[in-house]
Amino acid sequence: MSSSTPFPSGSIARVTGRGVAVRGDDIDTDRIIPARFLKCVTFEALGPAVFADDRAELKPNHPFDRAEHQGAQVLVVNRNFGCGSSREHAPQALMRWGIRAVVGESFAEIFYGNCLALGIPCLSAEHTAALALQAAIEADPALELQIDLQLLQASTPAGTTWPLSLAAGPRQMLSTGQWDGTGQLLANDRELLATVQRLPYLQAFAPAG
Amino acid sequence: MSSGTLYDKVWDLHRVAELPGGSTQLFIGLHLIHEVTSPQAFAALRDLGLGVRHPERTVATVDHIVPTTSQARPFADPLAEEMLATLEANCAEHGITLHGLGSGRQGIVHVIAPELGLTQPGMTVACGDSHTSTHGAFGAIAFGIGTSQVRDVLASQSLAMGKLKVRRIWVDGQLQRGVYAKDLILHVIRTLGVKGGVGYAYEFAGPAIEALSMEERMTLCNMAIEGGARCGYVNPDQTTFAYLEGRPMAPAAEAWPSAVAWWSALATGAEAVFDDEVRFDATVVAPTVTWGITPGQGIGVDETVPTLEATEPNERPLAAEAYRYMDLQPGTAIAGTPVDVCFIGSCTNGRLSDLQAAAAVARGRQVAPGIKAFVVPGSEQVAAAAEAEGLDQIFTAAGFEWREPGCSMCLAMNPDRLEGRQISASSSNRNFKGRQGSATGRTLLMSPAMVAAAAIAGRVTDVRTLLKA
Ligand code: SF4
């Protein structure tokens, strides 16, 4: 299925929605979106292909295929999620399937940055908290989770909470709506020019002066 | 916190500004693009009404989707053709140099930038491809980026980055005969784990590293990312300068001595401080083969597939999954594992010295019956140099196919792929499930010489036994 929720925009202070748990460490981006789906010049059609090979292997029992998880927005994973290839197709596929926040024990750096650039927060949870969250989602797929970027916690309507963490920088970028950073980079033109002038390899290695 | 390392110096020199949110705006000295991760970035640029800030600092080639049999246009695969046509149109529109098929300079992006002299010490290098870490071999700070960041570099020639910690990987001794840089990096990743380098830049140093050729250093840095490190580098030295001198885009004439002086001054000094250091002994590294589904699941060719009990508790679920997927039994020797397909190529091991090492094994021997073995040079220049030495003849006489340059079965976005449960001996860098084009296909990573040995024997074989003969 494809997402019916609008893509992230503006300030992101919390994400509320049902959860879906994908268990396992070191889930690489080849598994999130196999290479054959990279043959495209737009990201538009990637949503249905997310986890394609894992889903085919577990058919019809992969969490992304189960009826009760359709429309879920919070993905809960374990360690080193998104390792491997730098392909932004991976977070794009997750986003287009409907995911709006990822909670996990740890994330690969490029994947984390790619998610941030799309306005999808990746929050860290301790091992036991991640497992408890996954168990809660599996026990009650209809559970509405609230992922709060200010309080740094996941919570249920019944009041169960799990602590999360998110570095100050990304947190500020998301909450101020400045996670889509091209504008910021373009604002420092004078400083950019000064950098160009002090780098010898951009000055044909001419002696300074 | 590290100080005085090459990483620290290059970082400071390229720092444009501090950004709200705590990251640093870093100037990118060299931006490399290819057909897979750039089209969406150009489209985003168009949507924002932006142009390319420094088109002369971006260089393009086509590698991932090109067929390695016939490269005649249009490609048989219409999607592949559309991707290349889109790249061509984007480069033409923005005035970006494209080293296309038949130009004599086309090839895998991480092979051509060094051989053209584009990659130089002290640069920041970015590319929408995780193996950009390769360029660190020159003492550049080079890292893979996502498509949104490709858009940012096109628009602003800079990126928002956080500074990494620096770990020195010090390697004493020398690699033994039949043991290559590929074995060394598989050994490092096996020891430190695929997550061991997360948050770090790896500085490779020590006598064993200094003795490596530039091509070997590229193999080493190429796979730093497989150990979790965003980038890896080797300090520039005489080996680096000798490689660069006379390359088409390298500084020449009166610029050369000032370039060498600047590059030399960037190297990590004796007073440098690292966040962490790990020491290795090169003499104990054996030809290394992966048995599992991550590059960290590697063992010496003379070892057995580790048992669950011998595996660290938190690595056990992955090991169990690997036994199932690979259909390899814990406790059995990896040597002797039958293979179906043998692939020599990729940005890890598709350079001239890799092909020379494999040809030395293949010379005068025959690929075992029923084995599909093929060699894909990393670039048109590598192909030409190999053909000039007659390596193509050695390979074809031995029963290998000799192909056109590209990424090929490293990730199988072109017609070169595993079928069904086939198992490959591969000189590439990733053994992830499904990586080589079949959702159930299996990959054993090893050095190109070991792949050649596997092709000859039809099974995983210690290449040292063939080199002695
Ligand atoms: S050879 Fe493989 S790893 Fe290298 S750039 Fe091509 S696909 Fe990526």
Side-chain angles (χ1 to χ4, degrees), chain A residues 39 88 109 169 182 188 198, chain B residues 15 21 25 77 147-148 152 199:
Chain A
K39 270 195 210 161
E88 189 164 316
E109 286 171 47
T182 316
N188 299 319
R198 75 165 173 261
Chain B
R15 205 165 59 190
Q25 180 172 0
D77 175 353
T147 296
S148 300
D152 287 351

Side-chain angles (χ1 to χ4, degrees), chain A residues 96-113:
Chain A
R96 285 164 198 276
W97 187 86
I99 298 302
R100 293 294 175 270
V102 191
V103 174
E105 292 177 54
S106 62
F107 300 94
E109 286 171 47
I110 302 180
F111 176 84
Y112 183 97

Side-chain angles (χ1 to χ4, degrees), chain A residues 23-31 34-44 46 52-54 56-57 79-81 83-89 92 106-110 113-114 117-118 167-173 176 178-196 198-202 204-207, chain B residues 12-17 19-23 25 27-29 36-37 39-40 48 50 53-54 57 65 77 79-80 82-83 86 120 122-124 128-130 144-149 151-152 155-160 164 194-195 197-200 225 228 230 251 255 258-259 262-263 294 314-315 318 321 411 413 417 430 432-435 439:
Chain A
R23 289 179 182 263
D25 292 341
D26 305 309
I27 292 181
D28 56 71
T29 52
D30 276 81
R31 284 173 65 186
R36 61 183 182 281
F37 295 105
L38 270 50
K39 270 195 210 161
C40 55
V41 293
T42 79
F43 291 127
E44 274 156 31
L46 293 178
D53 290 344
D54 282 8
E57 194 180 331
R79 293 189 305 163
N80 199 29
F81 187 75
C83 58
S85 150
S86 64
R87 62 189 67 160
E88 189 164 316
H89 304 67
Q92 283 277 354
S106 62
F107 300 94
E109 286 171 47
I110 302 180
N114 284 341
L118 297 178
R171 188 169 147 200
Q172 189 192 340
M173 288 164 79
T176 56
Q178 287 177 320
W179 43 270
D180 192 355
T182 316
Q184 282 185 16
L185 296 174
L186 290 169
N188 299 319
D189 211 56
R190 221 162 7 112
E191 291 84 348
L192 196 89
L193 216 63
T195 309
V196 168
R198 75 165 173 261
L199 285 168
Y201 68 85
L202 299 174
F205 289 103
Chain B
D12 286 345
L13 277 163
H14 290 79
R15 205 165 59 190
V16 175
L19 297 171
S23 54
Q25 180 172 0
F27 185 85
I28 300 304
V36 180
T37 54
Q40 301 87 352
L48 294 170
L50 296 170
R53 180 72 160 76
H54 280 283
R57 306 238 45 98
I65 52 91
D77 175 353
L79 286 173
E82 185 190 3
M83 291 175 85
T86 305
Q120 295 168 19
M123 277 184 173
T124 46
D129 191 288
S130 41
I145 55 178
T147 296
S148 300
Q149 292 178 305
R151 173 202 64 199
D152 287 351
S156 73
Q157 202 59 39
S158 63
L159 278 175
L164 299 165
V194 291
K195 297 181 274 293
V198 172
Y200 285 96
I225 183 77
R230 186 84 183 264
S258 10
W262 188 66
W263 295 339
T294 79
N314 57 20
E315 298 291 335
L318 193 68
E321 194 178 336
L411 93 168
M413 276 187 76
R417 48 185 54 229
R430 285 189 173 143
F432 299 155
K433 287 172 155 186
R435 170 75 177 184

